[in-house]
Amino acid sequence: MTRRAARVLMVEDTLSIARMTEAFLVQAGYQVDHVETGQGCLAALEQGLPDAVLLDVRLPDISGLEVLAHIRRQELPVVVIVATAYGSIGMAVEAMQAGADDFLVKPFNADRLKVTLANALERLALKSQVQALREDFGRATFHGFIGSSLAMQSVYRIIQAAGPTGATVFVTGESGTGKELAAEALHRQSRRANGPFVAINCGAIPHGLIESEVFGHVKGAFTGAVAARDGAARRADGGTLFLDEICEMEPALQTKLLRFLQTGTYMRVGGETLEKVDVRIVCATNRDPMKEVEEGRFREDLYYRLHVIPLHLPALRDREGDVLEIARALLARFSQQEGKSFQGFTPEAEDLLLRYPWPGNVRQLQNVVLNAVVLNDGPLVAAEMLPPPVNSRGSLPGQVNRATLPPLRLAEPAPSDIKPLWQVEKEAIEAAIDAFEGNIPRAAAALGISASTIYRKKAAWEAGEGESLGA
Ligand SMILES: Nc1ncnc2c1ncn2[C@@H]1O[C@H](COP(=O)(O)OP(=O)(O)OP(=O)(O)O)[C@@H](O)[C@H]1O
Ligand SMILES: [Mg+2]
């Protein structure tokens, strides 16, 4: 492929210089247009953009610096090289400060002209390439997401493309991968961005109440329904309804949701008239929805209604490089919030963050960084400041299977995940003992309790008295 000859607009009022320069440029393979005045230059720019402007500073009408200022104000993607007379180097400096790409001192020879122009054009091409890459592929942040991994670039692109369509999006991903953040991003990226965003967590509401939470109820619909109440569907009218943990929805309500998706209408609990709303549905689950369908817990027809645009959020361990990007951003945020002076992590601490598998994903990383910031201070987060199980990986040659350690218990477990407190406590203590290679005093110090408390509890568990030691 032959490259198109670059176009140069030459602004020069001294005809002899113009002829000679034009000859140099044509010989070097450029296509040249010539104007003699500043106004002529502005008019030519209106007609079409050249690749470069070779601009004499001293012109008969307006100053070359004014022309330069105009080009930069308009953010025109052209290279500007100013030509100044020998002895007026101050003018060249001023032009560079005003945004010229380079300058030439007259009289200049053909070589100097060619090199200056070629380099400036090269830099412009690179700049626009980098810009395009950054816009298309290299996003480091997107609607609250941090991370420039390839895995996340495709998430950003799907959100950007699907957001404005209004199509239903089915978000999947492990716990803490950012499913709710994705739902919010879809809303903000949509034409409904100024409308409401209403989230309903189907896993956190007792089964008997979800229907009224979603569709509302009329007065007297059930005991305690002392007044009519709007449901999430009504409150989300004109906006986005986010149905989180959709797989926890009971079968009877799945049927009602399907009808709502098919017709856009629903009835309140206890109501007799159909109501209509205009909502965009985004739903999410951390289960495998196909498996839920196969095992008969989730209606297949509802699944296909919802599964218009699938959006899978990768696990944090599969996003190369993002762990550190997110950790650093969170460190800056939490340090500021907590009035600490952290600037970064030591190389050992970064190494631990990179090697840990993050079963609780970004939420767990948030907790780990917050924990380190709250309990410590200093310019750098050191490995010892990272709480277990993150900080003990690799230091135990093959003794303990780290994968079996419970992840840090994070916010909002599903009701079925909730364990008796004594058991949570037992797991936390055992994890800490493992993390410190059986050193009970150190495990106790890390847990903020006395070693004797651990010994007492261990004795009680061995005697089978777990429950009686609760809290
Ligand atoms: N890429 C990211 N960059 C920065 N923060 C993130 C990122 N992903 C998630 N977060 C933050 O991590 C936390 C957990 O995210 P979110 O609640 O969206 O996860 P989730 O997938 O819905 O989790 P769960 O399945 O447990 O409900 C939130 O505070 C969110 O703002
Ligand atoms: Mg969630």
Side-chain angles (χ1 to χ4, degrees), residues 179-180 242 244-245 363 412:
K179 296 185 293 298
E180 180 148 8
F242 176 46
D244 203 358
E245 300 196 35
R363 187 181 295 111
E412 303 158 9

Side-chain angles (χ1 to χ4, degrees), residues 132-162:
L133 275 177
R134 200 172 281 145
E135 276 165 16
D136 277 337
F137 306 106
R139 283 202 188 88
T141 58
F142 182 77
H143 287 300
F145 283 104
I146 301 165
S148 42
S149 65
L150 223 52
M152 288 307 284
Q153 297 304 321
S154 80
V155 169
Y156 304 158
R157 246 174 282 153
I158 292 171
I159 292 175
Q160 190 169 33

